[in-house]
Amino acid sequence: MTWKGADQADSWYRRRGYTHFDRRVPLAFARRYVQNPATVARHSFLPFISYVKTTPRYRPRERRVEVKRRAISYASHLDSHIYSWYSHELSEALEKVLLREECGASVIAYRALGKCNIEYASEVFDHVEERGACVVKAFDVSGFFDNIDHQLLKESWCRLLGGDRLPEDHYKVYKSITAYSCVQQSALYKELGISGEAVSAGLDRLCTPEEFRTRVRAKGLIHRNDNGVGIPQGSPISALLSNIYLLDFDRQMSTIARRIGGIYRRYSDDILWICPAGVAGEIESEVHRCIGEFRLKINPTKIETSVFGYESGGRLVSDKPLQYLGFVFDGQRRLVRPNTLARFYRRIRTAIRHAKRMAAKTGTDPRVFRRRIYERFSHLGTRNFVTYGRRAAITMDSDWMRRQVGRHWRKLHEWLPDDH
């Protein structure tokens, strides 16, 4: 076995703050453990802990708030380190393939390319401006992670490694992430008699090994995925496996793009095409056909089409603004997506209401919380939505976006407690 130095390989290691069935392990132990294939091949993976994450989304056309629910699963500490290490190793192998193939420029999610959504969206908008008259079609894969076929994933994994079968350690990781076990967080906490507050207070682990056997396993709280499809969202390796799974799909799409003079991009389960108007129907048919080969389906209710063309005065316009990675382009203006902005303002109001409640509960002057609010939701912070929006406005050279983001200060002070 080849050991790698800390300066080359330790980027995969991340100490996680959550509490699980096992205790956190230091880097030195994790490195020795995960980089030993024989040890990984013998490893017993613990169940994931799962919960449902809810995200409110405002639908302006229906004038209602829709709640999006997504199941999130998080692995134990040592299991997470194993997944992180194998994700790191597989990512290197996948990057070698993508860098030498035409489809490399089309796969933009979960890669260390030194770019973020701002640059990816800006590049797409630039392509549309350069082409002028064109059609942009956006597709969404239905239940992507929940419907990844295990046999097809295994075959793609084998091809990436250049063999007919997986090495024993890789096979153990594959089995743990496909035929995975999970425990619902709410049922687990109820059985163990603990609360979210107690977990946040600093438990080193949720229960002892004996309690795990008698109160978790023996009471039927563990559920196993025996469907032959689906991998958990939230593990350190799931995102990378989604790119491995669709590598041949990306190749097919890129081949079609070269043939018809189009541009193809995929960000996880979001597929985008820029193409001449005359082939838009063909592209939609090909996307449906090709994704079906991977036993996945396109969500028909989320297909978006934007037709760009020139007005009599020579201005580029669209019949429907293009929305991509949190930004909007209508042929003239580059903006933050209105839904994204509305969600940001809801977060501000929720945070301020919470601060007021805490102030009333503790007898603290509400203005004490002002600095924290500023840090999270204003240009006075360092890493928040406002600084992200300002960076996007600079990158896209958009005065419209600067004005959009600049309104946050006035909005913030409409809701903050008075200074007097």
Side-chain angles (χ1 to χ4, degrees):
M1 180 181 64
T2 301
W3 293 89
K4 296 190 177 184
D7 58 331
Q8 297 178 355
D10 292 347
S11 60
W12 57 269
Y13 178 87
R14 182 165 67 86
R15 186 177 174 85
R16 291 163 173 84
Y18 56 70
T19 308
H20 215 285
F21 292 122
D22 63 344
R23 294 189 175 98
R24 297 168 184 83
V25 297
L27 170 61
F29 176 86
R31 188 193 300 134
R32 288 195 303 272
Y33 198 96
V34 306
Q35 295 183 16
N36 189 325
T39 301
V40 173
R42 295 191 302 268
H43 179 74
S44 295
F45 287 83
L46 287 166
F48 287 85
I49 297 177
S50 301
Y51 67 95
V52 176
K53 181 179 180 180
T54 60
T55 306
R57 292 187 172 183
Y58 181 65
R59 299 297 181 192
R61 294 177 187 173
E62 297 87 7
R63 295 184 178 180
R64 64 184 178 86
V65 175
E66 177 184 274
V67 178
K68 180 179 180 180
R69 292 176 171 83
R70 183 175 57 162
I72 300 295
S73 303
Y74 53 104
S76 70
H77 294 287
L78 186 52
D79 292 356
S80 289
H81 295 318
I82 293 174
Y83 290 136
S84 292
W85 170 252
Y86 279 80
S87 177
H88 169 78
E89 292 284 275
L90 289 169
S91 178
E92 290 186 347
L94 181 60
E95 278 302 309
K96 290 178 182 177
V97 173
L98 292 175
L99 289 174
R100 70 171 181 259
E101 296 198 13
E102 294 279 351
C103 66
S106 300
V107 183
I108 58 178
Y110 317 129
R111 297 177 64 192
L113 298 176
K115 297 180 181 180
C116 71
N117 288 3
I118 297 171
E119 285 83 8
Y120 293 135
S122 185
E123 287 173 0
V124 164
F125 299 160
D126 287 344
H127 283 305
V128 173
E129 278 192 327
E130 290 167 7
R131 285 172 173 255
C134 64
V135 173
V136 183
K137 298 191 75 71
F139 306 88
D140 179 86
V141 180
S142 296
F144 182 29
F145 288 91
D146 293 335
N147 291 291
I148 288 177
D149 183 88
H150 295 170
Q151 184 60 35
L152 293 182
L153 175 62
K154 183 181 177 183
E155 292 170 3
S156 297
W157 198 325
C158 286
R159 284 196 297 272
L160 182 64
L161 296 181
D164 296 329
R165 56 184 298 173
L166 294 175
E168 289 186 13
D169 55 323
H170 280 261
Y171 182 73
K172 190 63 177 279
V173 175
Y174 158 78
K175 289 296 291 183
S176 74
I177 204 70
T178 52
Y180 65 93
S181 298
C182 68
V183 177
Q184 292 300 315
Q185 186 186 73
S186 56
L188 176 65
Y189 285 9
K190 181 178 180 181
E191 169 60 32
L192 297 177
I194 58 179
S195 64
E197 290 77 9
V199 172
S200 300
L203 291 175
D204 64 343
R205 64 182 179 186
L206 293 173
C207 60
T208 64
E210 175 63 24
E211 288 174 321
F212 177 79
R213 289 190 292 269
T214 60
R215 302 184 65 181
V216 179
R217 175 164 307 189
K219 294 196 175 182
L221 297 185
I222 301 175
H223 304 281
R224 183 181 172 88
N225 178 43
D226 293 320
N227 299 326
V229 297
I231 62 176
Q233 272 189 271
S235 87
I237 200 173
S238 296
L240 186 277
L241 292 181
S242 71
N243 278 348
I244 293 174
Y245 185 75
L246 286 184
L247 179 57
D248 283 343
F249 173 79
D250 296 323
R251 286 171 171 145
Q252 291 181 47
M253 292 291 100
S254 297
T255 298
I256 295 171
R258 290 194 301 275
R259 175 171 60 82
I260 58 96
I263 292 174
Y264 159 70
R265 294 289 183 270
R266 183 177 64 80
Y267 191 101
S268 185
D269 55 353
D270 292 324
I271 297 167
L272 182 126
W273 268 93
I274 305 172
C275 62
V279 297
E282 176 190 347
I283 291 301
E284 183 165 337
S285 297
E286 286 296 296
V287 170
H288 281 283
R289 182 188 66 80
C290 292
I291 204 69
E293 294 179 3
F294 297 85
R295 299 173 191 173
L296 298 170
K297 294 180 180 180
I298 297 297
N299 187 337
T301 67
K302 292 187 177 181
I303 299 175
E304 300 285 345
T305 304
S306 299
V307 180
F308 287 83
Y310 291 105
E311 287 183 326
S312 56
R315 288 187 353 133
L316 181 65
V317 295
S318 64
D319 65 335
K320 181 180 181 181
L322 165 62
Q323 298 194 38
Y324 191 57
L325 301 181
F327 300 97
V328 175
F329 179 57
D330 63 5
Q332 294 296 312
R333 301 177 301 171
R334 302 184 183 205
L335 301 165
V336 175
R337 191 175 65 170
N339 285 6
T340 304
L341 210 57
R343 186 161 60 246
F344 170 64
Y345 288 141
R346 284 198 299 272
R347 287 176 55 217
I348 293 178
R349 299 193 73 164
T350 299
I352 290 175
R353 283 197 296 267
H354 176 72
K356 288 179 178 178
R357 285 196 299 269
M358 290 298 295
K361 182 178 180 179
T362 61
T364 307
D365 187 329
R367 290 173 295 180
V368 171
F369 297 96
R370 184 177 293 264
R371 177 178 294 180
R372 191 179 307 166
I373 297 293
Y374 281 162
E375 177 66 28
R376 292 177 60 192
F377 300 111
S378 85
H379 61 281
L380 300 178
T382 53
R383 292 176 63 86
N384 58 37
F385 176 79
V386 175
T387 57
Y388 178 78
R390 286 185 159 192
R391 177 183 163 193
I394 294 170
T395 301
M396 299 189 190
D397 192 20
S398 171
D399 289 332
W400 292 95
M401 196 180 299
R402 289 187 184 92
R403 287 195 286 271
Q404 262 188 311
V405 177
R407 296 189 190 111
H408 79 280
W409 192 248
R410 177 175 57 81
K411 291 276 190 183
L412 193 59
H413 286 87
E414 287 178 6
W415 302 320
L416 275 171
D418 293 334
D419 286 326
H420 304 292

